[in-house]
Amino acid sequence: MAQTRPHPAMTMLVSSISGSGRALRVAPDVTGRLRRGGWGVNVRVVTEAEAPAAVARSLDTPFVGALGGDGFVAAVAQGIAGSDTVLVPVPGGRGNDLCRAIGAGSNPKGRADALVPLGEAGSEAVGIRVRALDGIWVSAVDAGSAEPNRRLVLGVVSLGLDAWANKLANESRLTAGPLSYGWGAVTAPAHFRGAAFRARVDGVEHELSGWVFSVSNSGFIGGGVNVVPDSDPFDGALELFRVDQVPLRTVIPAVAQVVIRRNAHHPLVHVCSVRELDILGPEGLTAMADGDLVGHLPLHVEVAPGIVRVLV
């Protein structure tokens, strides 16, 4: 008699708010496809009043799915960080940049279909698609190691013009990530005109004035804008991405090239590899990450190599 392969068991956490309800709408189809493909899937909707990290931490299934936006996926990842549990990101937000960065795409149904062969093959076959994903720990400089002030980011920590573009995109009525971020990028210069950034980069202090000062793990922001093509979320390093402080009439074409043409190679753009930095000022400046507010300067930022196991 042929031996039956054990079905991989997953708890699918579904965000109740990601993508203005998109995650909830696609959840039945996504989970149905997975179940028909051999996955054992339990579903848990995570409401706005709940902490996704705490919910994920309470689970005991070997696979934890995260159907939602980038911020939701990162919060679920924080809940299982450092454990043997495998994160299964499924795009359900507006931008879905983390899923793009790991090759999972931006279509939730397509992602489910790509996972079906693994369910059919059984639990043992899934291991060849599991990789150790890096992250970014972000915390207040004066908070020490206090856990409530520490947050895991999987994508890009944005300050300056790109943070404002993210903020304005969140406030817009546009539901498509690229459209909302593009609108935010065009209107952001009316709110932010550059800053004198101060940072301690791998132990060395720098004055780095500019329009943009961001730290990248995945390279993607704004629904598919690859601002740092050299970023690799599996290499154990981060990239500092900066755009020079120049007159507005000069920086607009550079921003347009990065956002509209999806091309980050421009003379005003500087990228260097980093592992740890304290972003000291300007104090109070807003920082965005994975599509959400992550804090205000000063902040401590450091790489979290292989912090979570992820199914690609």
Side-chain angles (χ1 to χ4, degrees):
M1 181 182 294
Q3 187 174 13
T4 302
R5 296 187 180 93
H7 296 308
M10 179 198 306
T11 298
M12 179 67 74
L13 299 182
V14 180
S15 169
S16 65
I17 59 173
S18 289
S20 300
R22 181 191 185 205
L24 278 177
R25 291 192 297 272
V26 301
D29 196 350
V30 167
T31 55
R33 290 170 189 241
L34 291 173
R35 286 167 177 157
R36 290 191 294 274
W39 286 85
V41 183
N42 291 320
V43 179
R44 165 74 186 275
V45 175
V46 181
T47 68
E48 192 172 5
E50 297 176 291
V55 174
R57 194 176 296 117
S58 70
L59 302 175
D60 59 2
T61 47
F63 297 91
V64 173
L67 174 52
D70 292 322
F72 180 77
V73 173
V76 171
Q78 182 163 346
I80 61 175
S83 73
D84 290 332
T85 303
V86 177
L87 174 70
V88 186
V90 180
R94 289 194 300 180
N96 304 305
D97 287 309
L98 188 277
C99 283
R100 297 172 194 268
I102 66 171
S106 59
N107 185 320
K109 298 175 185 179
R111 169 65 163 161
D113 289 341
L115 295 175
V116 163
L118 299 180
E120 295 171 340
S123 299
E124 293 182 2
V126 179
I128 61 174
R129 292 269 298 274
V130 175
R131 300 187 66 184
L133 177 70
D134 301 334
I136 308 173
W137 284 120
V138 180
S139 58
V141 169
D142 60 351
S145 59
E147 185 66 24
N149 297 300
R150 203 180 193 208
R151 175 167 170 175
L152 184 65
V153 171
L154 298 180
V156 178
V157 180
S158 298
L159 298 110
L161 196 65
D162 52 341
W164 268 100
N166 190 162
K167 182 176 182 295
L168 293 170
N170 288 351
E171 295 170 354
S172 78
R173 295 183 179 181
L174 298 171
T175 57
L179 286 176
S180 61
Y181 188 83
W183 179 86
V186 170
T187 56
H191 303 269
F192 180 79
R193 304 304 292 268
F197 293 103
R198 295 183 294 108
R200 188 179 301 111
V201 182
D202 289 334
V204 180
E205 292 199 16
H206 296 272
E207 299 284 343
L208 299 167
S209 296
W211 285 89
V212 173
F213 186 100
S214 298
V215 183
S216 170
N217 177 51
S218 71
F220 284 86
I221 62 174
V225 181
N226 193 0
V227 291
V228 190
D230 293 334
S231 277
D232 180 348
F234 302 100
D235 66 356
L238 307 174
E239 285 72 42
L240 175 59
F241 170 83
R242 187 172 64 87
V243 177
D244 284 339
Q245 180 71 58
V246 293
L248 181 62
R249 65 179 180 277
T250 305
V251 80
I252 289 297
V255 172
Q257 178 170 305
V258 172
V259 175
I260 299 174
R261 298 182 185 178
R262 304 292 199 268
N263 181 2
H265 299 289
H266 191 281
L268 298 178
V269 174
H270 306 279
V271 179
C272 67
S273 180
V274 300
R275 292 186 62 84
E276 182 177 4
L277 65 160
D278 292 304
I279 311 174
L280 305 172
E283 289 191 16
L285 192 69
T286 296
M288 304 289 288
D290 293 333
D292 300 321
L293 174 69
V294 73
H296 300 85
L297 297 187
L299 292 174
H300 178 75
V301 176
E302 62 181 296
V303 65
I307 190 65
V308 65
R309 301 176 73 216
V310 65
L311 185 61
V312 297

